[in-house]
Each structure stands twice: as C-alpha cells, then as structure tokens.
Amino acid sequence: MRHSPYQMFFDLSRLAFESNMVIGLRMMKLAAGGPKAISEASLMTSEKLQAASSVMIDGAFALASGKSMESVGKSTVAHYRRQVRANHRRLSK
C-alpha cells in the first residue's frame, strides 16, 4: 500500500511537535535538580540507546526480508511516536 509523500512529512512533523513537548517536560524536571533529575537523565539516555538500536535491528531485518524502504520508514516513525507518547504520559503526571 503506497502512501502519499505528504503522509511521511505529516507523520514526521507530528513526531517533531510531540518530541518538543516531551523535551520541554524533561527540561523542567532536569532544571528542578535532585535525585529525580538524575534518574530522568539516566532514563532518557538509556531509552534513546535502546530505541535507536531496536529501530536499526528491526529495520535491517525488515529490509532483508524484502520490505520496502517506505514500509521501514513508516514503522520507524511509528516506533518513535509510541515512545514519545509514553514519555509524555509519564512526564505529565
């Protein structure tokens, strides 16, 4: 199923907007300092490493199994959006 090239632009724009909201929430937590800030900084870096490695491995297997670049790109954006939404929910509490 082919999607409009504008769909990827829209998905990436949404990801960028949502990511900026999470960055703002994280910055407030980090600026407050203390043990919660240290914990958040540690969680943030470990999540980023885990997400990047997961996306690379999943993408490599998907391409090796014959999936299109478009399909891999779409699943990559979806993966990051799920992570960002989960962080937004957690940080908004």
Side-chain angles (χ1 to χ4, degrees), residues 64-92:
S65 69
K67 297 214 174 165
S68 70
M69 287 293 287
E70 180 180 359
S71 171
V72 172
K74 187 172 175 63
S75 67
T76 298
V77 172
H79 176 81
Y80 279 118
R81 286 196 68 223
R82 280 190 302 275
Q83 297 293 113
V84 168
R85 279 194 306 271
N87 282 322
H88 188 268
R89 281 191 301 273
R90 180 178 56 79
L91 292 165
S92 295

Side-chain angles (χ1 to χ4, degrees), residues 6-76:
Y6 299 109
Q7 185 63 44
M8 181 60 85
F9 173 78
F10 179 70
D11 291 343
L12 287 169
S13 296
R14 255 188 339 197
L15 175 60
F17 178 76
E18 293 164 348
S19 296
N20 280 322
M21 291 173 54
V22 169
I23 289 168
L25 291 168
R26 275 195 164 138
M27 292 306 294
M28 288 191 302
K29 184 165 259 191
L30 293 172
K36 288 184 179 181
I38 293 169
S39 175
E40 183 62 32
S42 176
L43 180 62
M44 176 179 64
T45 53
S46 65
E47 280 179 343
K48 288 184 184 306
L49 290 171
Q50 191 278 329
S53 63
S54 175
V55 163
M56 284 189 284
I57 291 168
D58 291 348
F61 279 116
L63 289 172
S65 69
K67 297 214 174 165
S68 70
M69 287 293 287
E70 180 180 359
S71 171
V72 172
K74 187 172 175 63
S75 67
T76 298

